[in-house]
Amino acid sequence: MDVELWPEQPDEVAAAIAAALARPAPAPDPWWQAGLDASLETS
């Protein structure tokens, strides 16, 4: 993944940011997700 940073950052920082962006988002806890879904249904 190409990451454009302004201002320019050291290679180590750019690599750490690219690695963080490449990871998939963690799945939400099922208990919290059920609560959010129920809240959205009643809105």
Side-chain angles (χ1 to χ4, degrees):
M1 166 184 261
D2 290 333
V3 178
E4 291 184 33
L5 301 173
W6 184 255
E8 280 292 317
Q9 298 295 314
D11 291 340
E12 297 83 17
V13 173
I17 292 172
L21 294 174
R23 285 185 232 139
D29 181 275
W31 187 84
W32 285 104
Q33 187 63 54
L36 290 171
D37 292 343
S39 177
L40 291 172
E41 287 175 5
T42 60
S43 296

